Amino acid sequence: MDLRTENGISLRGLQLHRPGGEMLRIESGPLFELGVGETVLSSEQVTVGEASMDTENGVHTLTIPIDARPGGVPIAGALVITVGIGEDIGMNLDIRNVGDGPIVPVVNFPLVRGARIGSVEDTWYLYCRKGGIISNRPTRQSKYYGGEYPLQVSDIFNPTAGSGLALLTYDRANIYRTWELTKDVDGVDWRMGYFGFEHEPGARIEVAPTALRAHWGDWRAALGIYRDWVSGWYKPQVPRKRWFQGVFYYQQVTAWSVLRDRATGQWRTADVVKRFQDFFGRLDYLHIFDFGQSMVYGRVGDYNHYDELGGLETMRAEIAAVQAMGIPVGLYIEGYLCDDRGVWGSEHVPGCDIRQADGTPLMWPGSDTEHMMCPACRDWREHLATTYGRVAKDLQPNGMYIDQYGFINTWKVCHSSEHGHPTPWPPIRGERDTTEAIRAGIGNPEIANLTEETPNDVNSQHQDGALGYSVSANDPELAPHRVDLFRFIFPDFKVFQLTQYDPFTEGDWDLLKFPFFNGEGFWLHGGTDDYDPEAADFLRKAFAILNENEGAFCSDDIEALVPTVVPTVYANRFSAADRTVWTLFNARYHTFRGDCLRVPHTQGTHYVNAFTDQLIAASVDGGRATIPIELGARGVGCVIAHRE
């Protein structure tokens, strides 16, 4: 790393050379930006003090004092570079508000420009946005750490040279920031932009510990570095549930219009369940969307007006009857919304709702009574924790859902000065603390809790799973496989992909292939007439394969995008003691026939095409099996290796 301090601080270059391989280069430029309001200084414009070098136990620390006050920005501190801790080049900004009044700082760090290994065309990148992108195509990406960017790693690599450079943050404090990546004709640019909120004089400005690390191999090596770091601290609040991991078909229904006859008031839950079982061959989980809705007090907030749906005893009996059929039951509660007509809401909403920049409450679009509540507000957090605990005892469900949590998006930023948080305040820490409180409030550790979206790594410790939008949100031009990398880093965290709300009719069911490819669950709603025959047939077979091979799909020994014989055929691996399962996706727009996998082989192993139930005539040579397959255009497949 070449840093120059003649005029501010410049990152002049980073060159790592593998003998006989390609050079890694970074263009000269600033390493960070600091600002307030419209005044933003690059690191080449700040005043630099005398640098010092300390060495202790083989760790070398370079400290460069910095002061942005001469440029009109009241921020000062130091840039700290560390080498000798593993293979990282550690980079930290230790900075404070050194002005006389409060500021909302602008911090962009690090800035890396024009990174490439060999040619620009041969420089690929890993970008761990929702789902995940591995590509060499031009792009411009910016996503906030949270549901949009849940993993703390990005990477550039050259697959031919067999080397790469990873960008990592080691943040367990939930610091809200964007991960930005651009690839253009000059290479790959990285930029991390920190969310600005008010800091009082003397306050430290939080910046995540950051590192660059060179490595051999490709994007898998970078993910491995991140996985190793996470394994040192990641611990679910309560043990993850094996029964929940084995749920693949999650069906949402309504109580008011489906489970209960509006005209007679009679419940018909068993008939509804049987209809889904007969149609799909099974039902793994029944989620009741509106059990807490009141026609008097509103849809959200109280969750105790059982009398409007026939009474507590009736509702409990209906849930118990489904559970007696071997089907877990889940219940819906809103994590953000509260109706000001409710018993609790009429008194507490004004003190707990999210305030916009102009001081007005943030309302659910189209509603004049449903308020968006601040997850950092203590009273709202305590109300939710208490409500989840009460409902868990009242109705004894198997799962409890927290709507809207996990996205952690900027729409939910709160500007209130009455909640005890700085302003403006993003939702990432409020969601963490409230999910933790809800998990504790539920009490029974065998009840699963899940959110609407897969959150970031830190927050996910407080729940068992989530719905997921990565399949629908990923960019098929950059990620034709629509892989969900989070699923492979945290295999015991259960994800149910919500691919679309519209019916799967008139051929519109292509996205259903990708939850299967990822070995994940499916979130479905609506009735049995919402499926083309082809869509229904696919789901029946997919559910059967997932459940018959539950041990492999629920294993910790899984791997995303394993090498294949043909680059346009993608594969994921799921291994159990007695078998290995590969899910396949043909990204071509025509049928693929030929060899697709070359894998280690042991004597007595036989290979089966799971969709046709036919044995595969694999060719074995030197302890490796080459496996042929036929896959339809844009089709998925599945190979199972059964070991004796």
Side-chain angles (χ1 to χ4, degrees):
M1 178 181 253
D2 181 3
L3 285 177
R4 303 293 176 89
T5 59
E6 293 93 346
N7 295 296
I9 297 174
S10 297
L11 176 60
R12 293 294 180 91
L14 180 63
Q15 295 189 359
L16 298 170
H17 184 59
R18 179 181 181 182
E22 299 285 358
M23 294 286 288
L24 182 152
R25 293 184 174 87
I26 294 176
E27 296 296 330
S28 175
L31 183 59
F32 59 84
E33 294 173 334
L34 302 176
V36 172
E38 298 298 319
T39 303
V40 178
L41 307 179
S42 78
S43 64
E44 296 174 327
Q45 296 172 301
V46 302
T47 299
V48 175
E50 184 176 351
S52 63
M53 175 72 80
D54 295 317
T55 301
E56 184 175 352
N57 298 323
V59 177
H60 307 283
T61 303
L62 173 67
T63 302
I64 306 173
I66 57 175
D67 192 341
R69 281 176 291 189
V73 176
I75 297 174
L79 170 68
V80 182
I81 305 294
T82 305
V83 295
I85 301 176
E87 299 177 37
D88 286 350
I89 300 175
M91 305 184 294
N92 293 279
L93 276 180
D94 183 6
I95 52 178
R96 295 180 181 274
N97 172 11
V98 293
D100 297 327
I103 63 170
V104 176
V106 174
V107 179
N108 299 313
F109 170 77
L111 307 177
V112 178
R113 297 177 177 175
R116 58 203 183 275
I117 302 173
S119 71
V120 171
E121 182 180 358
D122 291 336
T123 299
W124 289 61
Y125 54 86
L126 165 70
Y127 185 73
C128 291
R129 56 165 285 176
K130 184 186 306 184
I133 297 173
I134 302 147
S135 180
N136 68 339
R137 300 182 64 170
T139 191
R140 183 179 299 274
Q141 301 281 334
S142 178
K143 300 293 181 183
Y144 267 100
Y145 173 54
E148 294 180 349
Y149 201 98
L151 309 178
Q152 299 186 54
V153 60
S154 183
D155 190 52
I156 64 164
F157 62 96
N158 183 319
T160 302
S163 59
L165 179 70
L167 171 65
L168 306 113
T169 55
Y170 301 126
D171 173 24
R172 297 174 59 184
N174 266 7
I175 305 172
Y176 204 47
R177 61 197 183 277
T178 56
W179 285 74
E180 303 174 26
L181 180 147
T182 298
K183 185 181 182 189
D184 55 24
V185 295
D186 296 318
V188 174
D189 295 350
W190 276 317
R191 180 180 184 269
M192 214 166 289
Y194 284 80
F195 184 87
F197 59 88
E198 194 168 89
H199 288 67
E200 294 298 323
R204 184 173 181 270
I205 301 169
E206 291 182 302
V207 179
T210 304
L212 292 170
R213 184 187 296 193
H215 60 81
W216 305 134
D218 58 14
W219 60 272
R220 298 173 180 87
L223 269 188
I225 295 166
Y226 168 74
R227 183 188 291 109
D228 289 345
W229 171 67
V230 167
S231 67
W233 57 265
Y234 190 89
K235 183 178 180 181
Q237 186 175 343
V238 299
R240 298 266 163 80
K241 284 148 257 314
R242 182 63 177 79
W243 73 262
F244 192 57
Q245 295 165 30
V247 172
F248 295 101
Y249 167 27
Y250 177 118
Q251 177 68 48
Q252 177 170 294
V253 295
T254 58
W256 279 93
S257 59
V258 175
L259 298 183
R260 184 172 179 268
D261 189 299
R262 280 186 179 273
T264 66
Q266 295 298 309
W267 285 73
R268 51 194 178 193
T269 310
D271 292 340
V272 173
V273 167
K274 189 173 187 305
R275 184 161 67 247
F276 287 119
Q277 287 179 316
D278 290 345
F279 188 73
F280 285 120
R282 65 182 306 110
L283 174 59
D284 295 339
Y285 187 93
L286 188 73
H287 173 68
I288 305 175
F289 173 74
D290 58 348
F291 86 96
Q293 180 171 343
S294 166
M295 299 305 176
V296 178
Y297 299 99
R299 184 178 68 91
V300 290
D302 288 340
Y303 307 97
N304 59 3
H305 303 293
Y306 303 126
D307 55 304
E308 296 185 40
L309 280 171
L312 175 58
E313 290 186 8
T314 298
M315 294 176 68
R316 176 69 196 106
E318 290 295 316
I319 290 172
V322 177
Q323 293 168 328
M325 300 168 70
I327 300 170
V329 176
L331 299 176
Y332 167 104
I333 292 178
E334 245 292 348
Y336 273 96
L337 290 176
C338 187
D339 200 303
D340 60 23
R341 297 173 296 172
V343 175
W344 191 88
S346 61
E347 181 180 351
H348 295 91
V349 158
C352 297
D353 56 1
I354 292 174
R355 295 292 162 146
Q356 301 179 93
D358 63 1
T360 59
L362 181 63
M363 308 297 293
W364 183 248
S367 172
D368 58 3
T369 63
E370 292 185 353
H371 295 244
M372 291 286 291
M373 309 297 281
C374 177
C377 178
R378 185 181 63 182
D379 287 350
W380 176 242
R381 179 178 303 142
E382 291 177 352
H383 171 66
L384 280 180
T386 301
T387 299
Y388 275 84
R390 175 182 51 75
V391 171
K393 292 177 181 177
D394 286 348
L395 297 175
Q396 300 175 37
N398 304 96
M400 303 191 79
Y401 172 82
I402 312 170
D403 200 30
Q404 293 199 71
Y405 270 46
F407 294 98
I408 313 175
N409 47 14
T410 54
W411 183 58
K412 303 180 179 91
V413 166
C414 184
H415 293 261
S416 173
S417 59
E418 305 298 321
H419 299 162
H421 58 66
T423 57
W425 194 237
I428 188 165
R429 290 178 178 172
E431 286 200 18
R432 175 199 62 196
D433 296 343
T434 301
T435 307
E436 181 179 13
I438 288 171
R439 177 67 265 177
I442 289 171
N444 183 351
E446 282 303 306
I447 295 177
N449 68 320
L450 66 158
T451 56
E452 186 181 358
E453 174 62 292
T454 303
N456 58 306
D457 47 9
V458 171
N459 287 18
S460 70
Q461 297 174 101
H462 304 297
Q463 58 196 86
D464 296 285
L467 307 188
Y469 291 80
S470 65
V471 164
S472 61
N474 221 330
D475 185 339
E477 296 299 318
L478 299 177
H481 40 67
R482 297 181 190 263
V483 72
D484 183 6
L485 292 177
F486 191 98
R487 186 263 190 270
F488 292 89
I489 296 294
F490 302 102
D492 61 354
F493 184 95
K494 186 68 186 186
V495 176
F496 303 95
Q497 289 288 345
L498 195 164
T499 60
Q500 67 190 47
Y501 290 100
D502 294 334
F504 298 99
T505 55
E506 299 181 359
D508 185 19
W509 62 274
D510 185 68
L511 292 182
L512 289 176
K513 300 169 185 176
F514 297 98
F516 177 81
F517 177 68
N518 284 303
E520 296 178 307
F522 294 73
W523 176 97
L524 300 176
H525 77 148
T528 55
D529 57 351
D530 288 334
Y531 302 88
D532 273 349
E534 295 84 359
D537 287 343
F538 171 77
L539 286 172
R540 292 183 192 109
K541 189 61 178 178
F543 293 158
I545 294 170
L546 290 164
N547 281 276
E548 289 165 7
N549 298 279
E550 179 182 319
F553 286 111
C554 296
S555 169
D556 289 341
D557 185 7
I558 64 177
E559 185 179 1
L561 302 180
V562 297
T564 58
V565 175
V566 180
T568 53
V569 174
Y570 298 94
N572 295 321
R573 177 186 61 80
F574 307 86
S575 296
D578 63 340
R579 71 192 65 188
T580 293
V581 178
W582 293 273
T583 56
L584 306 169
F585 171 63
N586 172 25
R588 299 178 177 184
Y589 287 87
H590 56 82
T591 299
F592 169 81
R593 297 181 184 91
D595 296 338
C596 67
L597 293 170
R598 190 165 289 120
V599 299
H601 176 79
T602 57
Q603 188 173 359
T605 299
H606 64 278
Y607 303 90
V608 175
N609 182 326
F611 275 91
T612 65
D613 297 314
Q614 299 296 310
L615 284 172
I616 296 173
S619 59
V620 178
D621 182 26
R624 297 184 70 82
T626 300
I627 301 172
I629 197 76
E630 178 176 326
L631 298 169
R634 307 292 290 177
V636 292
C638 183
V639 172
I640 304 173
H642 293 275
R643 290 184 286 274
E644 294 183 356

